[in-house]
Amino acid sequence: MIEALSYDFVQNALFAGVLISIAAGIIGSLVVVNRITFLAGGIAHSSYGGIGLAIFLGLPILLGATVFAVLSAIFIAFITQNNKNRIDSIIGMMWALGMAIGIVFVDLTPGYNVDLMSYLFGSIIAVSNEDILYMASLDIIIISLVVFFYKEILAVSYDSEFAKLRGISVKFFYTLILILAALCVVAAIRVVGLILVIALLTIPTYLAEVFASRLSSMMIISSLFAVFFTISGLIISYFFDISSGASIIIVGVATLLAVKVVKR
């Protein structure tokens, strides 16, 4: 593995793993605490429509996925705050619609895009310098917003009614959390893929809940677990020549089960 570190693609993979782990740890904590895992899943799968559209139009795939994911997050935030009776049905519809749109545009694109599978199941060793720049920018944005609005986000996450009484705009911060989740999902797609991205957001947080008593400490511990999962998964995928995204998630699940067993 030491020899492999001399390769640029391995260095990029390690950088990407650390960067996306920081974002996943912070956003994953907000997703779990706010109980919006299903909503984040809807956003993740909706973003596939943006991937297909970007391939069809010849645009940067991350750009298409980002725009589609953010628009989906805003729409989902609006729907879930104003029509809570049919949330599951609406999210399920968007989940399927996004995938369907992506598939249609890919089918309409002449030829076959061999890189498409990496967006479904992840390919951390294919991360480019542009992807790393995107992830680094995302980390800066997320950390800055969470630090600056920590009290408001904390209040909205744990007691929205109390937050309203304190004059906090619950709708704004709820929408902000979903938008940040959308951006994190798009960045994580390159690491673990569209299919497994929700696992990367939730597994480290479930583990962090065992050790953390505050939201801030949960974010830090969750990020550390995510770093451990991504680096361990990358090492395993290198030695056994298997999918890096799947390896990362398997390491995460195995660690979660081990911690739960030891705790009992």
Side-chain angles (χ1 to χ4, degrees):
M1 187 65 186
I2 301 299
E3 296 178 356
L5 292 176
S6 61
Y7 297 109
D8 290 339
F9 70 90
V10 175
Q11 295 174 10
N12 285 349
L14 289 173
F15 284 137
V18 172
L19 291 173
I20 199 58
S21 295
I22 295 172
I26 297 173
I27 299 302
S29 299
L30 295 178
V31 166
V32 171
V33 168
N34 284 275
R35 299 179 182 178
I36 54 173
T37 303
F38 186 56
L39 302 188
I43 294 171
H45 287 77
S46 296
S47 67
Y48 189 74
I51 294 174
L53 182 60
I55 292 174
F56 179 75
L57 297 177
L59 299 173
I61 292 180
L62 276 181
L63 175 62
T66 299
V67 172
F68 223 83
V70 170
L71 291 177
S72 298
I74 295 173
F75 179 75
I76 288 175
F78 175 79
I79 292 297
T80 53
Q81 290 182 85
N82 295 281
N83 184 15
K84 297 185 178 181
N85 296 327
R86 295 288 183 178
I87 291 179
D88 291 348
S89 300
I90 294 171
I91 301 304
M93 178 191 68
M94 289 194 62
W95 188 310
L97 179 63
M99 294 291 292
I101 291 174
I103 292 171
V104 168
F105 278 115
V106 170
D107 288 341
L108 292 175
T109 304
Y112 176 71
N113 192 299
V114 295
D115 192 48
L116 184 62
M117 296 300 290
S118 68
Y119 289 92
L120 286 174
F121 300 101
S123 181
I124 193 171
I125 59 174
V127 170
S128 64
N129 292 329
E130 290 76 14
D131 294 330
I132 292 178
L133 181 60
Y134 180 95
M135 295 174 188
S137 302
L138 177 64
D139 280 355
I140 294 173
I141 293 172
I142 289 176
I143 293 173
S144 299
L145 288 174
V146 170
V147 170
F148 191 77
F149 293 115
Y150 180 75
K151 292 182 179 179
E152 290 82 357
I153 291 174
L154 181 66
V156 171
S157 299
Y158 284 99
D159 195 338
S160 58
E161 294 300 325
F162 172 76
K164 283 183 180 179
L165 294 175
R166 294 295 301 270
I168 297 173
S169 177
V170 174
K171 290 185 177 181
F172 170 79
F173 285 103
Y174 177 76
T175 304
L176 177 63
I177 291 171
L178 284 181
I179 291 175
L180 292 178
L183 295 175
C184 184
V185 160
V186 172
I189 284 175
R190 290 296 278 161
V191 177
V192 295
L194 181 67
I195 307 299
L196 304 174
V197 65
I198 297 303
L200 183 64
L201 290 178
T202 55
I203 294 174
T205 303
Y206 290 147
L207 275 165
E209 284 183 320
V210 177
F211 306 98
S213 57
R214 295 181 299 174
L215 179 60
S216 57
S217 57
M218 184 187 299
M219 291 177 176
I220 295 172
I221 296 173
S222 181
S223 296
L224 293 175
F225 271 121
V227 169
F228 170 72
F229 297 158
T230 52
I231 293 178
S232 299
L234 182 60
I235 293 172
I236 292 173
S237 67
Y238 175 81
F239 281 111
F240 293 96
D241 193 22
I242 57 178
S243 172
S244 56
S247 301
I248 291 169
I249 301 306
I250 289 174
V251 171
V253 173
T255 305
L256 176 62
L257 293 175
V259 170
K260 293 294 183 181
V261 169
V262 170
K263 184 183 178 183
R264 285 191 178 184

